[in-house]
Structures are given as structure tokens and as C-alpha cells.
Amino acid sequence: MTVRRYRAPQGDGELLIEPSISSVINSLLEDVQHSPAYRTPGQNVARNEVLTLAVEYSRKLAQWAGVPASQISARLNSAELNPDLIIATGHQPEWFHPGVLAKNIAAHAIAQKLRQSGKNAIAINLIVDSDELDDVTVPVPTGTREAPQINPLPFFTLTKRTPWEEVRNQNHLKFDQFSQNIFEALKPWQVVPAISALKMPSADHPSKHADVERNEQDSLSPNDARLCDLIASVRLQWERSEQIENLEIPLSQIASTRSFQFFLLDWMRNAVSHCHAYNRIVQAFRDEYGIQGQQRPVPNLLIVSALDHSAFPESLNGERVEIPFWVWNEPEEAASVERERLFVRHVDQQLELSTSRKIIGYLPASPDDAEAAIQQLSIWAQEGLRIRSRALTTTLFARLYLCDLFIHGIGGAIYDQITDRLIETIYGQHIPQFLVVTATLHLPLGEGFSATMADVRRHQALLRDLEQNPWRHLPSCEELSSRADLNHQMLCRQLAQLRQERDLLLMEQKICDQKADRNLPRRTRRQKNRQRYLRLNEIRRELLTIVSPQIQKVREDIEILRQEVAANKILKSREYPWCLFPVEDLHRLVTQIQAAADFAIQ
């Protein structure tokens, strides 16, 4: 496995795009020339299923977000989609930083340029609502430039980690209040956040469950809405104002398609071989990157012999194999839920599904009974059973069945090197490429400080040398004459005597080290060495009184440098949510990425 490393850009307005958009577009245009052999029938079915759902969800989301009908593209009003190329990206439905937003912008820009090249291309964003929501605050800077602080501003009330798709609003979130709180917090910085320019959701929400179609007249209030849809609708409103027309689809909807269920069923039937291949590839990744332990970048899949007999009295022989999917049941209203690992065991021509605590049910194992297995999965889903892909299998499905190009940030790009090898090893298919895109924007909080941790370390080294070797830093007689607290003439004579004495002591020590006085008794040598050591320390302490102002100054400088470095971490952080940034700064990011795409086809 070839190691590829990426580093987030540090400067304000800097982009990371790797490989270049030009090379990606050229590669896509070459690949599409091989159509129709370029895709399998299964891939075509998956694309049609997902796009049909994405069109409906995107249209409803746009309407609910208050996007004018004139800004809703015709592509979002038609279920008859047959694109030549699909550009995909995805992220958790959180208030992410502009570096993540850059992926959505790039997906739109690339699809637009491909359309200008004569290809029907569509961009789609996967809302990974199967991930858990654990932090219900956004970081907002407060204080002053010299002493900034981070204020965690809550946007929701949550008592326990819960998958995003299960989190309903239920009066816990007041978007208008959240927007106003951000506006007030940034007012001392003279920053007008983008969220204050957006209309907060107020119309009826299109659906309670994203994976259940509902009549358009059967709508719900925002108080019953899914939190991830609320947040996505605000982002979508801004994107439409910049003419970014990506389709949107939650992972929970993708999981309802037959294509995803066949993908899941394949992992269940081939659990043992897929598990071993998965663990080998993950371990090879760890070896290449020098990662210790079995939990990073992802945990190994487990193979266990039996369930806990105390919970299940019946004898359960045979291996249970973990597959990289989450499972849980739809919670009762307002209740939280915890995801669990999914295990599969072959028993009596059936596939036994279980968690670490209980048996879920059984599916027919034979390929001839695939339709019956899919039907049973659909029944379980209607009854509230959630089976969702984990990180690697999410992008595995997307890149294998859905898209021609997947756009990652840095974290996903590093881990998706594992996905490359999984596609090669397990499926033996053409590997769809991925693009790495991220950006750094700094909130306009004023100029940062020039101090760095390297400056702190240099001053710490200087302080140590001042304290241990003060004679290296003694001021000249001219410099001493400016100090009113000292008799500089007397002090200069005293310093000259101390220097001379120190030099003599060091010369004696050197002679001793060269064995010139080895004829002296050992006890005598020890006593003389001890006397020299004590006298040198006395001289050092006397000299410390002379350089004490320098020591005090360096200590003060270190404290100032530390404060400035700490301030820079807040002033120049790239982690602030996109909704805190001025509209002008976000537009500048769109322009930069659009310019990179324009250059690609010149």
C-alpha cells in the first residue's frame, strides 16, 4: 500500500486540491468514453435508485428552506435522470468548517465544467446521518484580540450520544434564537455572520422520517423535524444563493434502496472472507503509517465463538463474524439510542443476525433466496430496525456503485486508501478515483500575532542558559553604568576578578581531567574537585544577581509569547463553522474554487 499524506493548508484563503481538477476532469472524460461497458447493470440500477430519491429529497429540502422556485434547478424537478457522470461528496450533517464546505463547492464546479464539455454530470452530497451526534455546541470567539476565548454556543439539548437520523427537534432548537446568539457574540468583532443573512426554517418540514415518502400535503412543523434536515436546509439556502445546485440525500435513504440491501446481503453471505480481507488491509495500512494498536484508523472486525450464554441459554456453536455495519432500533419518541455492532453467523442454511447482546433474526443464506432475504430486510426496516454502513463501507458503496468521482477531505482521503484496496481485493473492479479538497478560512478577528511555539522554545533555551551559564550573558561595563542601583565601577572590578577566578578553576579542572595530577592521593583529588565545584557554584550565584534583570525580562517575554500563541490558536483557527463567516468570505471561497475549475478546461 502506497502511503499518501496530506496536510491542511494554514494560511487564510489557502486551498488543497489534490490531484489537480484538470487531471481529474481529463480522467473522467476518458473513463466515460468506455461506456456502456464502463458500468455494470448493478451500478446503473443503484445510480437510478439513489438519484430518484435524491431529487425528491432535494426538492423538498429546497422548498422548505424557503428557496424561491426560480432558484430550484430543473434538474431537481425531474426524476428522469440519466447522467453520464456523478460527482459525490459527503459529511456528517453538522455545522462544519469552510474546509468541508469546499468539497460541496468543488463537486458543483466540476460537474458544471463537465456539462460545459458536453457531458451530463450531476453533483450529489451524502448526508451521513447514521453518525452519532455528541457535541451540541458550536465554538464562537469572544473576548479581545489580546485575550480571546472560545464560547461553546449550544444549538440543541441532548443528554446522550444518538445517531443524527433519530434526533428530532421537539422544541429543543430555536433557529432564530441560535442565529441571533451568534450575531450578538460576533458583534464586538464587527463580524456579520452568514447565518444572519439567511432565512431560518419556518415552513412545514417535508417529512418526519427521511426514508419514508409522504404526501406533500401531509407535512409536519419544524418542532417535529429531524435536526439534520434543519441544519442541511440552512446550508442549502446559502448554496443556492451561490448557484450551487448539488443534489442532497441522507444515508438513511440510501440504506432503503434495493441496491444497498444487496450490498449488505453480500457482506452477510461472505462475512468470513470479507472480514479477513478487511482486517488484513487495515493492518497493512497501520504498518505503512506506523500506527500502533488495533483501534486506529478503524477497529478490526471481530470473530467470536458464541453469544453470552447467560443471556441466551440455548447452545450457540459456530463463529459469529462482525461486518462493518451499525444496527439499532428506532427509539421511542424523545428517547436516545445507541448503535451496536452487527454480527452474522451461518446456521442451518440461514444467516443469523445478532448484536453482542441479542439475536435480531434470520435470513435465507442461499443466493437463490435473495428476494426473500431482501423482503425480510424491508419488513424489519418498516418495523424500525436500522442497519447502516460504517465509515469505510459508506464510501465503499458510494465509490463502487454510485459515483464516478468522490471528493474527500483530508481525513477521509487518508482512510479511503483502505477502500481502494478493498475494492481491488474483494470486488476486483475498476477503482473509481477520489479527489482531496479542503480549504482554510480565518474569521476576520484582526491581525494575529507573529509569535510561534518555536519562539517560545528559543526563549526557554535562553532562560536555561542564563540560569546555568550566567557568565555568557554578562553586560559590559558601559551597560552596567546605566544601572542606578549599582556601583558600576566597583562591580566591573568585581566581575573581572570573578571571571579570572572562574577561568583559573576551569583550567585546574582541565588539568585534572588530563591526569596531570594523578600522583596526588585519591582523597585529595576528591576534596579539590569538591572545592572547585562549590566555588564555581558560588561564582554562578553571584553572577546571577547581575543578570537577574535579563532573566526576569526573558521570563516575561516567554509569558507574553505563550499568551500570543494561545491567542493565535483562537484568532487563526480553521475550525469555526461556516455559518459564522461573513457572506463575502464564503463567496471568495466559491470564486477561488470556481477559478481552479475554469483553469482546468482552458
Side-chain angles (χ1 to χ4, degrees):
M1 185 180 293
T2 302
V3 174
R4 286 172 286 180
R5 302 182 186 274
Y6 306 95
R7 185 174 182 271
Q10 300 301 305
D12 184 26
E14 291 184 0
L15 295 175
L16 171 66
I17 301 178
E18 189 175 328
S20 67
I21 291 180
S22 176
S23 65
V24 165
I25 288 178
N26 289 335
S27 178
L28 288 171
L29 292 174
E30 290 176 6
D31 285 343
V32 81
Q33 299 303 321
H34 299 93
S35 186
Y38 176 52
R39 298 189 190 95
T40 66
Q43 288 170 327
N44 287 325
V45 170
R47 292 159 71 96
N48 289 335
E49 283 187 305
V50 171
L51 287 176
T52 300
L53 291 173
V55 165
E56 180 65 15
Y57 178 79
S58 301
R59 184 178 61 82
K60 288 182 178 180
L61 203 62
Q63 291 174 341
W64 186 61
V67 177
S70 60
Q71 292 185 21
I72 300 178
S73 168
R75 286 191 299 278
L76 303 188
N77 288 314
S78 172
E80 301 298 325
L81 293 174
N82 186 28
D84 300 313
L85 294 161
I86 297 178
I87 315 302
T89 188
H91 202 76
Q92 296 87 346
E94 60 192 11
W95 299 103
F96 42 67
H97 61 78
V100 177
L101 198 63
K103 299 189 301 179
N104 295 41
I105 300 169
H108 166 75
I110 292 172
Q112 186 178 52
K113 294 308 166 185
L114 288 168
R115 289 194 294 271
Q116 292 176 6
S117 298
K119 303 301 178 184
N120 182 14
I122 286 179
I124 184 169
N125 178 59
L126 311 185
I127 300 174
V128 187
D129 57 351
S130 57
D131 266 22
E132 288 183 325
L133 170 62
D134 59 350
D135 186 0
V136 292
T137 66
V138 297
V140 179
T142 59
T144 63
R145 174 179 175 271
E146 292 71 24
Q149 296 178 332
I150 292 294
N151 176 31
L153 190 65
F155 61 87
F156 195 71
T157 300
L158 191 70
T159 58
K160 188 177 180 181
R161 294 168 63 102
T162 303
W164 276 93
E165 69 174 282
E166 306 295 355
V167 180
R168 304 292 186 265
N169 185 20
Q170 296 173 331
N171 289 314
H172 291 291
L173 175 67
K174 300 295 184 183
F175 263 117
D176 288 329
Q177 179 182 343
F178 177 59
S179 174
Q180 185 62 28
N181 290 344
I182 291 177
F183 179 81
E184 293 297 332
L186 293 177
K187 187 182 291 184
W189 300 99
Q190 297 183 333
V191 173
V192 179
I195 195 170
S196 66
L198 301 174
K199 179 182 176 182
M200 295 300 101
S202 58
D204 286 342
H205 190 263
S207 64
K208 182 175 181 180
H209 300 287
D211 53 344
V212 178
E213 278 194 64
R214 300 174 63 91
N215 186 287
E216 285 195 34
Q217 302 300 319
D218 186 13
S219 57
L220 299 167
S221 72
N223 288 338
D224 297 316
R226 301 192 326 159
L227 177 62
C228 60
D229 297 332
L230 291 165
I231 295 176
S233 70
V234 178
R235 172 180 52 80
L236 183 140
Q237 186 182 159
W238 172 81
E239 289 181 355
R240 292 299 186 269
S241 72
E242 292 285 350
Q243 285 75 53
I244 297 171
E245 298 178 335
N246 300 340
L247 292 174
E248 302 277 339
I249 186 167
L251 185 61
S252 53
Q253 278 200 9
I254 294 176
S256 70
T257 64
R258 285 173 55 85
S259 299
F260 184 89
Q261 291 171 341
F262 274 108
F263 172 70
L264 170 62
L265 194 59
D266 173 73
W267 272 88
M268 292 177 178
R269 288 180 179 148
N270 301 285
V272 174
S273 61
H274 286 6
C275 173
H276 286 303
Y278 182 102
N279 287 346
R280 283 197 308 271
I281 293 167
V282 170
Q283 187 56 51
F285 179 89
R286 294 191 189 109
D287 293 342
E288 291 287 346
Y289 275 85
I291 297 173
Q292 301 298 318
Q294 300 297 306
Q295 299 300 311
R296 296 175 53 235
V298 291
N300 282 1
L301 298 177
L302 302 178
I303 299 178
V304 295
S305 59
L307 289 168
D308 181 359
H309 286 192
S310 62
F312 299 93
E314 65 269 25
S315 175
L316 294 172
N317 297 320
E319 289 183 330
R320 291 189 308 123
V321 181
E322 181 186 5
I323 59 175
F325 293 81
W326 296 115
V327 63
W328 69 88
N329 282 294
E330 180 183 11
E332 298 295 330
E333 187 173 353
S336 61
V337 65
E338 184 176 348
R339 301 179 303 181
E340 296 188 80
R341 294 180 171 191
L342 181 60
F343 293 86
V344 176
R345 184 170 73 106
H346 284 261
V347 53
D348 297 333
Q349 304 300 314
Q350 289 185 311
L351 299 171
E352 177 191 86
L353 274 62
S354 65
T355 68
S356 60
R357 300 182 296 113
K358 65 179 182 180
I359 294 174
I360 296 171
Y362 296 85
L363 296 173
S366 171
D368 296 333
D369 295 324
E371 285 297 333
I374 296 299
Q375 184 178 4
Q376 184 59 55
L377 285 171
S378 299
I379 292 172
W380 285 343
Q382 293 172 6
E383 294 173 349
L385 182 70
R386 317 287 205 214
I387 301 179
R388 304 290 186 255
S389 53
R390 279 150 67 170
L392 291 181
T393 35
T394 295
T395 52
L396 177 61
F397 178 82
R399 293 179 61 201
L400 189 61
Y401 290 101
L402 176 59
C403 65
D404 303 281
L405 172 70
F406 198 92
I407 301 179
H408 272 301
I410 290 176
I414 292 174
Y415 296 157
D416 231 27
Q417 296 174 56
I418 298 174
T419 308
D420 281 351
R421 189 63 63 86
L422 285 172
I423 294 173
E424 272 187 344
T425 304
I426 294 178
Y427 298 95
Q429 292 194 22
H430 166 80
I431 301 176
Q433 57 193 314
F434 65 81
L435 176 68
V436 184
V437 175
T438 190
T440 292
L441 288 188
H442 294 161
L443 275 172
L445 305 178
E447 287 297 322
F449 297 93
S450 60
T452 65
M453 278 307 300
D455 296 326
V456 174
R457 288 189 291 269
R458 280 194 296 270
H459 279 69
Q460 288 173 332
L462 175 59
L463 178 62
R464 286 192 298 271
D465 199 53
L466 276 164
E467 293 174 336
Q468 298 301 320
N469 305 293
W471 42 81
R472 295 178 180 172
H473 307 277
L474 292 173
S476 66
C477 287
E478 290 76 11
E479 292 171 324
L480 288 173
S481 65
S482 63
R483 290 180 54 177
D485 60 322
L486 298 173
N487 185 331
H488 71 277
Q489 292 181 347
M490 181 186 302
L491 190 57
C492 283
R493 290 194 296 270
Q494 186 180 1
L495 286 179
Q497 293 171 357
L498 289 172
R499 282 195 185 101
Q500 184 179 14
E501 183 180 2
R502 173 185 169 275
D503 292 343
L504 289 172
L505 290 169
L506 292 176
M507 181 62 70
E508 288 180 12
Q509 184 65 52
K510 185 176 180 180
I511 293 171
C512 180
D513 292 341
Q514 293 174 350
K515 301 182 181 181
D517 60 349
R518 288 300 183 185
N519 56 335
L520 294 175
R522 187 173 183 180
R523 175 176 292 183
T524 302
R525 294 201 307 271
R526 283 183 177 176
Q527 289 176 346
K528 294 180 69 174
N529 287 339
R530 178 67 175 171
Q531 290 170 358
R532 276 193 296 269
Y533 170 77
L534 293 175
R535 181 53 186 155
L536 284 170
N537 264 340
E538 289 175 358
I539 294 173
R540 184 181 68 85
R541 285 193 293 270
E542 291 183 52
L543 295 178
L544 280 175
T545 62
I546 307 302
V547 298
S548 59
Q550 294 167 258
I551 291 175
Q552 181 61 29
K553 178 64 167 59
V554 171
R555 286 175 176 165
E556 292 172 355
D557 289 346
I558 290 174
E559 183 59 29
I560 292 172
L561 287 169
R562 282 175 170 163
Q563 292 174 0
E564 292 180 350
V565 168
N568 278 341
K569 288 183 179 180
I570 296 175
L571 297 174
K572 300 304 176 186
S573 171
R574 68 186 300 269
E575 301 300 324
Y576 292 119
W578 68 269
C579 59
L580 270 62
F581 287 79
V583 171
E584 297 80 12
D585 290 14
L586 298 178
H587 179 72
R588 174 164 52 91
L589 179 62
V590 175
T591 303
Q592 286 180 274
I593 296 175
Q594 189 67 57
D598 289 340
F599 179 78
I601 61 171
Q602 287 180 353

